[in-house]
Amino acid sequence: MKQEKNKDKHEAVKAGDKVDSTKVASIGSIVGGVASSIGTPLVVNGLGFTASGIASGSAGAAIMSAEAIAAGGGVAAGGVTATLQTIGTTGLLAAGTPVVAGIIGVGAVLGGAAGLGWQHWMANKEATKENDKEKTSNKENEEIYHICINLVLSSSMDSQDHGVC
């Protein structure tokens, strides 16, 4: 009986997850996509890819140097450095459709996954609260049981009504 009750609670949480998961994932994907499209130029500028060029001593300069060494002395058009510099100079939309789609897509996937992870965490938090309440109730009942057993064993039971015993 007790196991069935816990099973019913768990299935109710799962059923609630199934109903809300699509909405949660959709909202998370939209937020992630928007955040990535706004955040990417900020991050790229922070790396040193600015409107006036690559900042000296920045991570962008190190990326450009590594790419130039790997390519034998030059930086390829359309490569990582060129793409990041385009984003830093003109913003994300000027970087080209595949880059934009990739960045927004990754942001959307991460946002959707974060939304589902949050929902799962909240569902487990609620299930844990319910389980803790049940454990407390069971512990209280067990304590009452032990008190009654001790009263019976000590032969202190008489004709009086001892309440819960």
Side-chain angles (χ1 to χ4, degrees), residues 119-145:
Q119 181 190 27
H120 181 71
W121 177 74
M122 291 300 289
N124 281 340
K125 187 176 174 182
E126 281 301 313
T128 300
K129 279 184 186 177
E130 289 298 320
N131 198 13
D132 288 347
K133 284 180 187 176
E134 190 171 307
K135 283 181 184 176
T136 301
S137 175
N138 288 342
K139 187 174 182 179
E140 289 169 355
N141 289 339
E142 188 175 314
E143 288 173 3
I144 292 170
Y145 172 79

PDB file of all heavy atoms in Angstrom, residues 119-145:
ATOM      1  N   GLN A 119      13.628  22.261 -14.499  1.00  0.00           N
ATOM      2  CA  GLN A 119      12.326  21.648 -14.222  1.00  0.00           C
ATOM      3  C   GLN A 119      12.508  20.321 -13.479  1.00  0.00           C
ATOM      4  O   GLN A 119      11.799  20.026 -12.525  1.00  0.00           O
ATOM      5  CB  GLN A 119      11.567  21.421 -15.516  1.00  0.00           C
ATOM      6  CG  GLN A 119      10.198  20.819 -15.274  1.00  0.00           C
ATOM      7  CD  GLN A 119       9.530  20.370 -16.540  1.00  0.00           C
ATOM      8  OE1 GLN A 119      10.197  20.036 -17.507  1.00  0.00           O
ATOM      9  NE2 GLN A 119       8.214  20.356 -16.541  1.00  0.00           N
ATOM     10  N   HIS A 120      13.475  19.521 -13.920  1.00  0.00           N
ATOM     11  CA  HIS A 120      13.736  18.229 -13.269  1.00  0.00           C
ATOM     12  C   HIS A 120      14.175  18.453 -11.816  1.00  0.00           C
ATOM     13  O   HIS A 120      13.725  17.762 -10.906  1.00  0.00           O
ATOM     14  CB  HIS A 120      14.809  17.474 -14.052  1.00  0.00           C
ATOM     15  CG  HIS A 120      15.124  16.139 -13.494  1.00  0.00           C
ATOM     16  ND1 HIS A 120      14.258  15.071 -13.578  1.00  0.00           N
ATOM     17  CD2 HIS A 120      16.215  15.679 -12.819  1.00  0.00           C
ATOM     18  CE1 HIS A 120      14.793  14.023 -12.982  1.00  0.00           C
ATOM     19  NE2 HIS A 120      15.977  14.371 -12.512  1.00  0.00           N
ATOM     20  N   TRP A 121      15.019  19.442 -11.600  1.00  0.00           N
ATOM     21  CA  TRP A 121      15.494  19.754 -10.256  1.00  0.00           C
ATOM     22  C   TRP A 121      14.325  20.164  -9.361  1.00  0.00           C
ATOM     23  O   TRP A 121      14.224  19.723  -8.217  1.00  0.00           O
ATOM     24  CB  TRP A 121      16.539  20.867 -10.327  1.00  0.00           C
ATOM     25  CG  TRP A 121      17.033  21.322  -8.992  1.00  0.00           C
ATOM     26  CD1 TRP A 121      17.889  20.664  -8.151  1.00  0.00           C
ATOM     27  CD2 TRP A 121      16.685  22.536  -8.326  1.00  0.00           C
ATOM     28  NE1 TRP A 121      18.096  21.395  -7.009  1.00  0.00           N
ATOM     29  CE2 TRP A 121      17.368  22.557  -7.096  1.00  0.00           C
ATOM     30  CE3 TRP A 121      15.874  23.610  -8.663  1.00  0.00           C
ATOM     31  CZ2 TRP A 121      17.266  23.600  -6.194  1.00  0.00           C
ATOM     32  CZ3 TRP A 121      15.768  24.665  -7.762  1.00  0.00           C
ATOM     33  CH2 TRP A 121      16.460  24.650  -6.544  1.00  0.00           C
ATOM     34  N   MET A 122      13.433  21.015  -9.889  1.00  0.00           N
ATOM     35  CA  MET A 122      12.274  21.456  -9.105  1.00  0.00           C
ATOM     36  C   MET A 122      11.343  20.283  -8.780  1.00  0.00           C
ATOM     37  O   MET A 122      10.824  20.193  -7.671  1.00  0.00           O
ATOM     38  CB  MET A 122      11.498  22.554  -9.852  1.00  0.00           C
ATOM     39  CG  MET A 122      12.258  23.868  -9.953  1.00  0.00           C
ATOM     40  SD  MET A 122      12.678  24.596  -8.359  1.00  0.00           S
ATOM     41  CE  MET A 122      11.075  25.127  -7.809  1.00  0.00           C
ATOM     42  N   ALA A 123      11.121  19.387  -9.749  1.00  0.00           N
ATOM     43  CA  ALA A 123      10.259  18.225  -9.519  1.00  0.00           C
ATOM     44  C   ALA A 123      10.863  17.328  -8.449  1.00  0.00           C
ATOM     45  O   ALA A 123      10.148  16.836  -7.564  1.00  0.00           O
ATOM     46  CB  ALA A 123      10.055  17.453 -10.815  1.00  0.00           C
ATOM     47  N   ASN A 124      12.170  17.108  -8.502  1.00  0.00           N
ATOM     48  CA  ASN A 124      12.831  16.278  -7.486  1.00  0.00           C
ATOM     49  C   ASN A 124      12.783  16.946  -6.120  1.00  0.00           C
ATOM     50  O   ASN A 124      12.638  16.276  -5.103  1.00  0.00           O
ATOM     51  CB  ASN A 124      14.272  15.991  -7.881  1.00  0.00           C
ATOM     52  CG  ASN A 124      14.364  14.905  -8.916  1.00  0.00           C
ATOM     53  OD1 ASN A 124      13.439  14.112  -9.088  1.00  0.00           O
ATOM     54  ND2 ASN A 124      15.468  14.861  -9.627  1.00  0.00           N
ATOM     55  N   LYS A 125      12.892  18.271  -6.106  1.00  0.00           N
ATOM     56  CA  LYS A 125      12.832  19.008  -4.847  1.00  0.00           C
ATOM     57  C   LYS A 125      11.461  18.811  -4.195  1.00  0.00           C
ATOM     58  O   LYS A 125      11.371  18.561  -2.996  1.00  0.00           O
ATOM     59  CB  LYS A 125      13.089  20.490  -5.138  1.00  0.00           C
ATOM     60  CG  LYS A 125      13.215  21.360  -3.943  1.00  0.00           C
ATOM     61  CD  LYS A 125      13.573  22.779  -4.378  1.00  0.00           C
ATOM     62  CE  LYS A 125      13.572  23.723  -3.213  1.00  0.00           C
ATOM     63  NZ  LYS A 125      13.858  25.094  -3.618  1.00  0.00           N
ATOM     64  N   GLU A 126      10.391  18.891  -4.992  1.00  0.00           N
ATOM     65  CA  GLU A 126       9.034  18.680  -4.471  1.00  0.00           C
ATOM     66  C   GLU A 126       8.838  17.239  -3.995  1.00  0.00           C
ATOM     67  O   GLU A 126       8.257  17.000  -2.949  1.00  0.00           O
ATOM     68  CB  GLU A 126       7.988  19.029  -5.530  1.00  0.00           C
ATOM     69  CG  GLU A 126       7.743  20.507  -5.675  1.00  0.00           C
ATOM     70  CD  GLU A 126       7.264  21.154  -4.384  1.00  0.00           C
ATOM     71  OE1 GLU A 126       6.344  20.620  -3.730  1.00  0.00           O
ATOM     72  OE2 GLU A 126       7.836  22.203  -4.017  1.00  0.00           O
ATOM     73  N   ALA A 127       9.324  16.281  -4.792  1.00  0.00           N
ATOM     74  CA  ALA A 127       9.187  14.871  -4.415  1.00  0.00           C
ATOM     75  C   ALA A 127       9.946  14.594  -3.115  1.00  0.00           C
ATOM     76  O   ALA A 127       9.476  13.849  -2.263  1.00  0.00           O
ATOM     77  CB  ALA A 127       9.697  13.972  -5.541  1.00  0.00           C
ATOM     78  N   THR A 128      11.103  15.221  -2.961  1.00  0.00           N
ATOM     79  CA  THR A 128      11.890  15.043  -1.743  1.00  0.00           C
ATOM     80  C   THR A 128      11.157  15.617  -0.535  1.00  0.00           C
ATOM     81  O   THR A 128      11.142  15.020   0.538  1.00  0.00           O
ATOM     82  CB  THR A 128      13.273  15.711  -1.897  1.00  0.00           C
ATOM     83  OG1 THR A 128      13.942  15.107  -2.997  1.00  0.00           O
ATOM     84  CG2 THR A 128      14.110  15.562  -0.652  1.00  0.00           C
ATOM     85  N   LYS A 129      10.516  16.781  -0.714  1.00  0.00           N
ATOM     86  CA  LYS A 129       9.737  17.367   0.385  1.00  0.00           C
ATOM     87  C   LYS A 129       8.624  16.426   0.822  1.00  0.00           C
ATOM     88  O   LYS A 129       8.420  16.202   2.010  1.00  0.00           O
ATOM     89  CB  LYS A 129       9.113  18.699  -0.058  1.00  0.00           C
ATOM     90  CG  LYS A 129      10.022  19.873  -0.018  1.00  0.00           C
ATOM     91  CD  LYS A 129       9.241  21.128  -0.395  1.00  0.00           C
ATOM     92  CE  LYS A 129      10.140  22.326  -0.524  1.00  0.00           C
ATOM     93  NZ  LYS A 129       9.383  23.511  -0.964  1.00  0.00           N
ATOM     94  N   GLU A 130       7.896  15.875  -0.149  1.00  0.00           N
ATOM     95  CA  GLU A 130       6.801  14.951   0.170  1.00  0.00           C
ATOM     96  C   GLU A 130       7.333  13.705   0.865  1.00  0.00           C
ATOM     97  O   GLU A 130       6.753  13.222   1.821  1.00  0.00           O
ATOM     98  CB  GLU A 130       6.033  14.564  -1.103  1.00  0.00           C
ATOM     99  CG  GLU A 130       5.200  15.673  -1.673  1.00  0.00           C
ATOM    100  CD  GLU A 130       4.112  16.143  -0.712  1.00  0.00           C
ATOM    101  OE1 GLU A 130       3.489  15.292  -0.040  1.00  0.00           O
ATOM    102  OE2 GLU A 130       3.904  17.361  -0.621  1.00  0.00           O
ATOM    103  N   ASN A 131       8.444  13.186   0.379  1.00  0.00           N
ATOM    104  CA  ASN A 131       9.052  11.995   0.956  1.00  0.00           C
ATOM    105  C   ASN A 131       9.515  12.274   2.385  1.00  0.00           C
ATOM    106  O   ASN A 131       9.328  11.453   3.282  1.00  0.00           O
ATOM    107  CB  ASN A 131      10.223  11.535   0.082  1.00  0.00           C
ATOM    108  CG  ASN A 131      10.608  10.106   0.349  1.00  0.00           C
ATOM    109  OD1 ASN A 131       9.891   9.360   1.001  1.00  0.00           O
ATOM    110  ND2 ASN A 131      11.761   9.716  -0.147  1.00  0.00           N
ATOM    111  N   ASP A 132      10.089  13.465   2.625  1.00  0.00           N
ATOM    112  CA  ASP A 132      10.535  13.833   3.963  1.00  0.00           C
ATOM    113  C   ASP A 132       9.354  13.951   4.925  1.00  0.00           C
ATOM    114  O   ASP A 132       9.442  13.541   6.081  1.00  0.00           O
ATOM    115  CB  ASP A 132      11.318  15.150   3.930  1.00  0.00           C
ATOM    116  CG  ASP A 132      12.693  15.000   3.309  1.00  0.00           C
ATOM    117  OD1 ASP A 132      13.145  13.848   3.120  1.00  0.00           O
ATOM    118  OD2 ASP A 132      13.313  16.037   2.992  1.00  0.00           O
ATOM    119  N   LYS A 133       8.231  14.513   4.442  1.00  0.00           N
ATOM    120  CA  LYS A 133       7.036  14.613   5.280  1.00  0.00           C
ATOM    121  C   LYS A 133       6.545  13.217   5.682  1.00  0.00           C
ATOM    122  O   LYS A 133       6.168  12.983   6.821  1.00  0.00           O
ATOM    123  CB  LYS A 133       5.921  15.349   4.533  1.00  0.00           C
ATOM    124  CG  LYS A 133       6.110  16.827   4.446  1.00  0.00           C
ATOM    125  CD  LYS A 133       4.957  17.461   3.689  1.00  0.00           C
ATOM    126  CE  LYS A 133       5.189  18.923   3.427  1.00  0.00           C
ATOM    127  NZ  LYS A 133       4.109  19.503   2.603  1.00  0.00           N
ATOM    128  N   GLU A 134       6.561  12.306   4.712  1.00  0.00           N
ATOM    129  CA  GLU A 134       6.097  10.942   4.989  1.00  0.00           C
ATOM    130  C   GLU A 134       7.035  10.244   5.974  1.00  0.00           C
ATOM    131  O   GLU A 134       6.588   9.547   6.876  1.00  0.00           O
ATOM    132  CB  GLU A 134       6.012  10.152   3.683  1.00  0.00           C
ATOM    133  CG  GLU A 134       5.318   8.826   3.852  1.00  0.00           C
ATOM    134  CD  GLU A 134       5.050   8.156   2.527  1.00  0.00           C
ATOM    135  OE1 GLU A 134       4.452   8.792   1.651  1.00  0.00           O
ATOM    136  OE2 GLU A 134       5.451   6.996   2.401  1.00  0.00           O
ATOM    137  N   LYS A 135       8.348  10.451   5.815  1.00  0.00           N
ATOM    138  CA  LYS A 135       9.310   9.844   6.738  1.00  0.00           C
ATOM    139  C   LYS A 135       9.088  10.371   8.156  1.00  0.00           C
ATOM    140  O   LYS A 135       9.149   9.620   9.121  1.00  0.00           O
ATOM    141  CB  LYS A 135      10.743  10.155   6.292  1.00  0.00           C
ATOM    142  CG  LYS A 135      11.217   9.331   5.136  1.00  0.00           C
ATOM    143  CD  LYS A 135      12.651   9.698   4.777  1.00  0.00           C
ATOM    144  CE  LYS A 135      13.129   8.965   3.556  1.00  0.00           C
ATOM    145  NZ  LYS A 135      14.484   9.389   3.155  1.00  0.00           N
ATOM    146  N   THR A 136       8.836  11.683   8.287  1.00  0.00           N
ATOM    147  CA  THR A 136       8.590  12.276   9.603  1.00  0.00           C
ATOM    148  C   THR A 136       7.350  11.664  10.229  1.00  0.00           C
ATOM    149  O   THR A 136       7.344  11.303  11.405  1.00  0.00           O
ATOM    150  CB  THR A 136       8.436  13.805   9.482  1.00  0.00           C
ATOM    151  OG1 THR A 136       9.633  14.339   8.921  1.00  0.00           O
ATOM    152  CG2 THR A 136       8.175  14.441  10.832  1.00  0.00           C
ATOM    153  N   SER A 137       6.295  11.531   9.444  1.00  0.00           N
ATOM    154  CA  SER A 137       5.054  10.946   9.942  1.00  0.00           C
ATOM    155  C   SER A 137       5.282   9.496  10.369  1.00  0.00           C
ATOM    156  O   SER A 137       4.815   9.069  11.427  1.00  0.00           O
ATOM    157  CB  SER A 137       3.982  11.020   8.855  1.00  0.00           C
ATOM    158  OG  SER A 137       2.818  10.358   9.290  1.00  0.00           O
ATOM    159  N   ASN A 138       6.014   8.737   9.567  1.00  0.00           N
ATOM    160  CA  ASN A 138       6.304   7.343   9.904  1.00  0.00           C
ATOM    161  C   ASN A 138       7.143   7.249  11.170  1.00  0.00           C
ATOM    162  O   ASN A 138       6.933   6.372  12.007  1.00  0.00           O
ATOM    163  CB  ASN A 138       7.025   6.649   8.750  1.00  0.00           C
ATOM    164  CG  ASN A 138       6.104   6.385   7.580  1.00  0.00           C
ATOM    165  OD1 ASN A 138       4.887   6.410   7.713  1.00  0.00           O
ATOM    166  ND2 ASN A 138       6.686   6.155   6.416  1.00  0.00           N
ATOM    167  N   LYS A 139       8.093   8.170  11.336  1.00  0.00           N
ATOM    168  CA  LYS A 139       8.945   8.163  12.520  1.00  0.00           C
ATOM    169  C   LYS A 139       8.110   8.457  13.766  1.00  0.00           C
ATOM    170  O   LYS A 139       8.291   7.819  14.807  1.00  0.00           O
ATOM    171  CB  LYS A 139      10.055   9.195  12.367  1.00  0.00           C
ATOM    172  CG  LYS A 139      11.084   9.138  13.459  1.00  0.00           C
ATOM    173  CD  LYS A 139      12.237  10.076  13.183  1.00  0.00           C
ATOM    174  CE  LYS A 139      13.272   9.952  14.281  1.00  0.00           C
ATOM    175  NZ  LYS A 139      14.422  10.806  14.052  1.00  0.00           N
ATOM    176  N   GLU A 140       7.182   9.412  13.658  1.00  0.00           N
ATOM    177  CA  GLU A 140       6.314   9.725  14.791  1.00  0.00           C
ATOM    178  C   GLU A 140       5.449   8.525  15.158  1.00  0.00           C
ATOM    179  O   GLU A 140       5.286   8.204  16.335  1.00  0.00           O
ATOM    180  CB  GLU A 140       5.437  10.931  14.461  1.00  0.00           C
ATOM    181  CG  GLU A 140       6.211  12.232  14.402  1.00  0.00           C
ATOM    182  CD  GLU A 140       5.395  13.384  13.825  1.00  0.00           C
ATOM    183  OE1 GLU A 140       4.256  13.163  13.371  1.00  0.00           O
ATOM    184  OE2 GLU A 140       5.926  14.508  13.821  1.00  0.00           O
ATOM    185  N   ASN A 141       4.897   7.843  14.170  1.00  0.00           N
ATOM    186  CA  ASN A 141       4.087   6.647  14.429  1.00  0.00           C
ATOM    187  C   ASN A 141       4.924   5.550  15.075  1.00  0.00           C
ATOM    188  O   ASN A 141       4.451   4.844  15.967  1.00  0.00           O
ATOM    189  CB  ASN A 141       3.455   6.136  13.136  1.00  0.00           C
ATOM    190  CG  ASN A 141       2.364   7.045  12.628  1.00  0.00           C
ATOM    191  OD1 ASN A 141       1.797   7.832  13.379  1.00  0.00           O
ATOM    192  ND2 ASN A 141       2.079   6.959  11.338  1.00  0.00           N
ATOM    193  N   GLU A 142       6.161   5.416  14.628  1.00  0.00           N
ATOM    194  CA  GLU A 142       7.051   4.400  15.187  1.00  0.00           C
ATOM    195  C   GLU A 142       7.371   4.720  16.651  1.00  0.00           C
ATOM    196  O   GLU A 142       7.406   3.825  17.494  1.00  0.00           O
ATOM    197  CB  GLU A 142       8.345   4.348  14.364  1.00  0.00           C
ATOM    198  CG  GLU A 142       9.251   3.196  14.733  1.00  0.00           C
ATOM    199  CD  GLU A 142      10.457   3.130  13.816  1.00  0.00           C
ATOM    200  OE1 GLU A 142      10.294   3.244  12.592  1.00  0.00           O
ATOM    201  OE2 GLU A 142      11.564   2.959  14.351  1.00  0.00           O
ATOM    202  N   GLU A 143       7.558   5.983  16.969  1.00  0.00           N
ATOM    203  CA  GLU A 143       7.832   6.383  18.346  1.00  0.00           C
ATOM    204  C   GLU A 143       6.636   6.070  19.239  1.00  0.00           C
ATOM    205  O   GLU A 143       6.794   5.583  20.361  1.00  0.00           O
ATOM    206  CB  GLU A 143       8.188   7.870  18.399  1.00  0.00           C
ATOM    207  CG  GLU A 143       9.560   8.183  17.834  1.00  0.00           C
ATOM    208  CD  GLU A 143       9.841   9.680  17.741  1.00  0.00           C
ATOM    209  OE1 GLU A 143       8.982  10.494  18.174  1.00  0.00           O
ATOM    210  OE2 GLU A 143      10.910  10.020  17.232  1.00  0.00           O
ATOM    211  N   ILE A 144       5.446   6.369  18.752  1.00  0.00           N
ATOM    212  CA  ILE A 144       4.221   6.062  19.519  1.00  0.00           C
ATOM    213  C   ILE A 144       4.123   4.555  19.744  1.00  0.00           C
ATOM    214  O   ILE A 144       3.809   4.094  20.845  1.00  0.00           O
ATOM    215  CB  ILE A 144       2.977   6.610  18.800  1.00  0.00           C
ATOM    216  CG1 ILE A 144       2.996   8.139  18.833  1.00  0.00           C
ATOM    217  CG2 ILE A 144       1.701   6.067  19.418  1.00  0.00           C
ATOM    218  CD1 ILE A 144       1.957   8.792  17.958  1.00  0.00           C
ATOM    219  N   TYR A 145       4.414   3.771  18.721  1.00  0.00           N
ATOM    220  CA  TYR A 145       4.379   2.312  18.819  1.00  0.00           C
ATOM    221  C   TYR A 145       5.333   1.836  19.914  1.00  0.00           C
ATOM    222  O   TYR A 145       4.973   1.003  20.753  1.00  0.00           O
ATOM    223  CB  TYR A 145       4.735   1.705  17.459  1.00  0.00           C
ATOM    224  CG  TYR A 145       4.930   0.213  17.484  1.00  0.00           C
ATOM    225  CD1 TYR A 145       3.835  -0.647  17.496  1.00  0.00           C
ATOM    226  CD2 TYR A 145       6.208  -0.337  17.491  1.00  0.00           C
ATOM    227  CE1 TYR A 145       4.016  -2.020  17.516  1.00  0.00           C
ATOM    228  CE2 TYR A 145       6.395  -1.700  17.508  1.00  0.00           C
ATOM    229  CZ  TYR A 145       5.295  -2.548  17.522  1.00  0.00           C
ATOM    230  OH  TYR A 145       5.476  -3.903  17.535  1.00  0.00           O
TER     231      TYR A 145
END
